[in-house]
Amino acid sequence: MSTSLEVFADVAELAYPAMRSVLLHEAENHDLPVLSQDEDRIFVGTEEAAFGITPAEGAGIRLHVSARDKDMLTSVREEVLSHLSHLVPDIAKTIRWSDAPVEGARPANFQFATVVSSTELCADFLRLELAVDTLETYSDASIHFRFVLPQCEDPEWPTLKANGSIHWPSGDKVLHRPVYTVRYLDKEAGRITVDVYRHDGGRIMEWTKAAQPGDSIGLLGPAGGGVPDSRDLILCGDETAFPAIARILQTLPEDGTAQVFLHASSGASDYPLPKHTGVSLTWLGAEDDLVTLAQEAYQQNRNRFFWFAADAVRVTKIRAFAAAQDIPKETRYLATFWTPSAE
């Protein structure tokens, strides 16, 4: 692995065989490749960030988290602790890590950004340009982050708990934390550009519409998937995925190819995409079936990397398709970018 930072924590109350089965199940559900496994160790994740378990000396297990930098390490550790808090909440509270995170400190991957501009981009999107103090850990390897938006005039910001997880305020201090994509990254200027999809009830969209230069908002990241390491792609997504697909196309080599399906419920087809001679682009409207077209595209081009991101309903169907087609995890990326509200 190319990861350079690693921390561990011993948990005497958890049995290795049972947790090994849990980890394999989670890897299957979240499309995480198994990097290595045998009777006494199992690690899952990517070259950039991974976690795993080994038997601890004496009793229990040793949790391992590794990542390329401190921001990614914080993000992966938070995910691990979140899952453990659902499985074994009392035990999760007692975990202590080898790097001894300072209780009450700000998470390493949290910072504030300042609005430079907010402008109309196209029919369905606003474009937000932000100035950020540090973009050292942002790259094509992890193109997503979370906005952290307060709901009150006197906000409380995230801090670390003793077990290394993030304490998020609740009640009237709750923070809105949706995931977005960095469309453009300018490390030299300290700027990121974010394209915000217009949708009913979208709190970040409403904030973006009213944002003025100098306004501040929190960021947590980077995190999530990055640009696929492939020259031949199938890219499928609804409006929430347009910025990520554009970011991927921006890095496509000159001799690369991509078959792209973009589903716009409004029928608009004016979201700006990078020009590339190897790209075949199909715009879909409300009546078109993104799932079926994505499946057909893969069946006709099985050697291409298969990338699909949309709502939970459609992604569930695509996950079933990927399992039936036995698409290797290393050649696919399937992600839920939003969940439809229950009627």
Side-chain angles (χ1 to χ4, degrees):
M1 292 182 293
S2 63
T3 54
S4 58
L5 298 177
E6 182 172 349
V7 296
F8 64 86
D10 291 332
V11 188
E13 299 89 344
L14 297 178
Y16 177 77
M19 292 307 297
R20 184 178 186 278
S21 297
V22 169
L23 188 52
L24 284 170
H25 177 74
E26 290 295 305
E28 183 65 29
N29 282 349
H30 295 279
D31 277 329
L32 291 173
V34 176
L35 300 176
S36 63
Q37 67 169 316
D38 55 37
E39 290 185 359
D40 294 324
R41 63 182 278 117
I42 177 169
F43 282 78
V44 304
T46 68
E47 292 296 305
E48 300 292 327
F51 57 93
I53 58 172
T54 58
E57 295 182 7
I61 64 169
R62 171 165 286 187
L63 293 170
H64 302 261
V65 176
S66 59
R68 67 173 191 271
D69 55 58
K70 59 182 176 56
D71 290 358
M72 185 64 72
L73 187 75
T74 300
S75 178
V76 177
R77 174 158 47 194
E78 176 69 7
E79 288 295 322
V80 171
L81 288 168
S82 176
H83 284 286
L84 285 174
S85 293
H86 283 94
L87 290 170
V88 285
D90 291 338
I91 295 174
K93 294 176 183 177
T94 68
I95 290 174
R96 297 295 181 267
W97 296 89
S98 56
D99 63 337
V102 178
E103 187 173 6
R106 289 268 186 264
N109 59 344
F110 176 81
Q111 62 180 312
F112 293 102
T114 303
V115 174
V116 176
S117 64
S118 175
T119 57
E120 301 278 343
L121 177 63
C122 58
D124 289 336
F125 284 84
L126 302 175
R127 173 158 285 181
L128 187 62
E129 187 177 5
L130 300 168
V132 184
D133 285 341
T134 176
L135 292 170
E136 178 185 354
T137 57
Y138 283 71
S139 71
D140 285 342
S142 186
I143 62 176
H144 306 292
F145 69 96
R146 286 187 184 274
F147 275 123
V148 182
L149 181 67
Q151 313 291 310
C152 63
E153 295 295 328
D154 183 27
E156 292 179 7
W157 299 104
T159 56
L160 292 178
K161 300 178 184 178
N163 70 347
S165 64
I166 298 176
H167 167 71
W168 293 101
S170 58
D172 62 356
K173 301 285 189 179
V174 70
L175 299 166
H176 184 49
R177 297 175 280 148
V179 177
Y180 275 79
T181 300
V182 176
R183 175 64 190 89
Y184 291 107
L185 175 66
D186 186 341
K187 288 189 175 183
E188 185 175 343
R191 302 282 178 87
I192 64 172
T193 300
V194 185
D195 293 343
V196 179
Y197 172 54
R198 300 175 186 268
H199 62 287
D200 293 338
R203 281 175 276 182
I204 291 296
M205 185 270 292
E206 293 297 330
W207 181 87
T208 301
K209 283 168 57 178
Q212 298 295 316
D215 288 353
S216 180
I217 191 169
L219 303 183
L220 191 78
V227 173
D229 183 18
S230 175
R231 293 176 176 269
D232 300 293
L233 305 162
I234 297 170
L235 304 172
C236 310
D238 66 6
E239 300 93 338
T240 62
F242 289 5
I245 290 173
R247 177 76 180 269
I248 293 168
L249 293 177
Q250 182 179 318
T251 69
L252 189 66
E254 187 175 344
D255 61 347
T257 65
Q259 192 172 5
V260 182
F261 296 90
L262 301 181
H263 187 277
S265 299
S266 68
S269 57
D270 58 349
Y271 181 80
L273 294 168
K275 303 297 183 183
H276 194 292
T277 56
V279 173
S280 169
L281 174 61
T282 302
W283 287 97
L284 308 176
E287 302 304 317
D288 295 308
D289 187 345
L290 178 63
V291 170
T292 297
L293 290 170
Q295 292 171 341
E296 291 174 352
Y298 177 76
Q299 289 172 325
Q300 294 166 10
N301 298 279
R302 293 176 179 269
N303 62 323
R304 288 182 167 179
F305 189 97
F306 185 54
W307 193 101
F308 188 102
D311 62 276
V313 174
R314 284 183 284 196
V315 173
T316 296
K317 294 177 181 178
I318 287 294
R319 287 192 191 280
F321 169 77
Q325 296 289 317
D326 198 25
I327 305 176
K329 291 180 181 179
E330 295 77 12
T331 63
R332 75 189 196 209
Y333 174 84
L334 314 177
T336 297
F337 276 14
W338 62 285
T339 301
S341 300
E343 296 184 358

